[in-house]
Amino acid sequence: MAAQILDGKALAQELRAGFKERTAALAARGHKPGLVVILVGEDTASQVYVRNKVAACESVGLYSEKLVYPADVKPVVVLDKIAELNADPRVHGILVQLPLPAHFDEAAVLEAIAAEKDVDGFHAENVGALAQGNPRFIPCTPYGVMKMFEKGGVDLSGKEAVVIGRSNIVGKPMALLLINAGATVTVCNSRTRDLRAHTRRADIIVAAVGKPRFVTADMVKPGAVVIDVGINRLPDGRLCGDVDFEGVKEIADWITPVPGGVGPMTITMLLANTIEAAERKAGI
Ligand code: GUN
């Protein structure tokens, strides 16, 4: 039997409808939520992501601004701007699009953002809060995945979960969220020996490796829930995920498509975090 689809596009629309009411309520009290997105350099994928983030803000009534710097900008220029934004009461969220050019100390930039405006959840203080099980801002992609589990009624407690990928943006926070939800979590990476032995045991697989169709049907236990975080471009220009959707959908119980799965949820949770930041500031 073919798996049921966890439809991120539909869930994103549902959540965004609720955001409009929250932003309107904030605006009525003089607190229009504001997000500033900083982009350094001309990376094409980053340009698309940033454009989509700004457009999504506008679609739910958030104020948003995009600041673009050339790839060779001095880091101090960006750090000074972050300090200015930290002090600006109109700005509730600050996001620096990653990756940054090689001459930047990425960690130093992320630490420069005020923790209460770190809507990406990448500041050490927010990472620590998540690790302790008291999250303040949850990184947007894994947060979106958790919302999809919730929507599908996927119970995580006591389940075997395998996360493939150990990035700070997806793999590590995803593992922490699954741990906090009571799953037994294994974090694999591209060097893991006998990856298939791990994935074959898993009730839940989250693939975030950045390799097209990396997870194949023979790696999946019948009845598993398979979440595909990958967005890869094939030589013919089409998008595909890290999971071989056609094969795996015949084995899994639940699966996310690409596009239309995790992707729309990432930006949706960025909006959620920005509104949350504004509500905290307004004392709501
Ligand atoms: N680059 C890829 N994903 C992300 C993300 O979620 N946030 C930021 N800031 N940069 C990214």
Side-chain angles (χ1 to χ4, degrees), residues 34-36 63 65 85-86 88-94 117 281:
L35 173 72
V36 174
Y63 162 76
E65 203 179 319
L85 296 169
N86 284 342
D88 186 339
R90 289 168 308 170
V91 176
H92 302 92
I94 304 168
K117 297 192 179 189
K281 176 93 189 305

Side-chain angles (χ1 to χ4, degrees), residues 84-196:
E84 191 185 312
L85 296 169
N86 284 342
D88 186 339
R90 289 168 308 170
V91 176
H92 302 92
I94 304 168
L95 180 153
V96 177
Q97 185 65 26
L98 302 177
L100 285 165
H103 66 288
F104 272 80
D105 176 349
E106 205 161 274
V109 172
L110 296 176
E111 292 314 294
I113 298 171
E116 69 274 14
K117 297 192 179 189
D118 168 40
V119 287
D120 253 330
F122 295 163
H123 190 288
E125 214 174 282
N126 288 319
V127 176
L130 174 62
Q132 288 181 334
N134 289 308
R136 293 181 205 150
F137 287 117
I138 300 172
C140 305
T141 299
Y143 193 7
V145 173
M146 293 304 281
K147 287 282 172 196
M148 295 175 94
F149 288 139
E150 202 180 300
K151 180 73 181 173
V154 177
D155 181 15
L156 300 167
S157 180
K159 298 286 169 59
E160 289 279 341
V162 167
V163 179
I164 315 173
R166 54 172 164 167
S167 71
N168 290 336
I169 296 177
V170 182
K172 283 185 211 161
M174 187 75 250
L176 289 171
L177 287 163
L178 289 163
I179 289 168
N180 293 345
T184 302
V185 183
T186 305
V187 183
C188 298
N189 61 67
S190 55
R191 298 183 204 177
T192 298
R193 272 178 280 142
D194 200 359
L195 176 66
R196 189 172 170 278

